[in-house]
Amino acid sequence: MSKRRGGRRSSSGLPGGANPMAMLQKMQQDMAEAQESLERETTEVSVGGGAIKVVITGHQRVQSVEINPAVIDMDDEEWINDLQDLLVAAVNQAIEQSQAMAAERMEAITGGLGDIPGLGGLLG
């Protein structure tokens, strides 16, 4: 007598008789909701000891850039170059954080796609 491992599987090969199309439709809905949420969610980056602060959305839209003049040494002849370098660093870090936030959110939704027979890892 052979023993079956795992839970009950349907003819589609999915646990509990799950419908692959229904799973994909639910995932699509979840992804749309996550995209809407990312449009409103923000991340904040501060560089240069608080000289520059950038706020960016999960859709990589810069919402604000704040410059703290008290931290910028205006007496230094190179202050404009320093400010430009800090702005570039702050925006790049903000974009990276925003992308990571979006990727994490999408991975939470699509993480199980590799387990669906017939998709062959196309979406995962």
Side-chain angles (χ1 to χ4, degrees):
M1 179 194 253
S2 66
K3 292 183 180 181
R4 291 182 81 176
R5 294 184 185 193
R8 190 180 132 245
R9 295 210 175 250
S10 70
S11 61
S12 68
L14 296 173
N19 177 344
M21 186 57 85
M23 289 175 66
L24 288 173
Q25 288 172 340
K26 169 76 168 106
M27 189 179 312
Q28 185 177 26
Q29 179 183 354
D30 291 348
M31 288 177 76
E33 290 171 4
Q35 285 292 334
E36 287 177 24
S37 176
L38 285 167
E39 194 172 348
R40 295 182 302 275
E41 291 182 47
T42 61
T43 188
E44 183 178 299
V45 170
S46 180
V47 298
I52 307 287
K53 182 173 81 172
V54 174
V55 177
I56 190 168
T57 70
H59 278 191
Q60 290 83 51
R61 302 286 187 252
V62 175
Q63 296 234 310
S64 66
V65 176
E66 293 180 26
I67 300 171
N68 181 353
V71 182
I72 305 293
D73 184 2
M74 303 279 238
D75 295 329
D76 181 359
E77 291 180 17
E78 295 293 317
W79 73 270
I80 192 72
N81 290 331
D82 294 342
L83 182 61
Q84 290 169 342
D85 291 344
L86 288 171
L87 278 168
V88 168
V91 170
N92 284 334
Q93 286 180 28
I95 290 169
E96 288 172 11
Q97 283 189 15
S98 174
Q99 289 171 336
M101 178 173 63
E104 183 178 298
R105 189 72 45 80
M106 291 301 122
E107 176 64 26
I109 295 168
T110 63
L113 281 179
D115 298 336
I116 299 174
L119 289 183
L122 289 175
L123 303 173

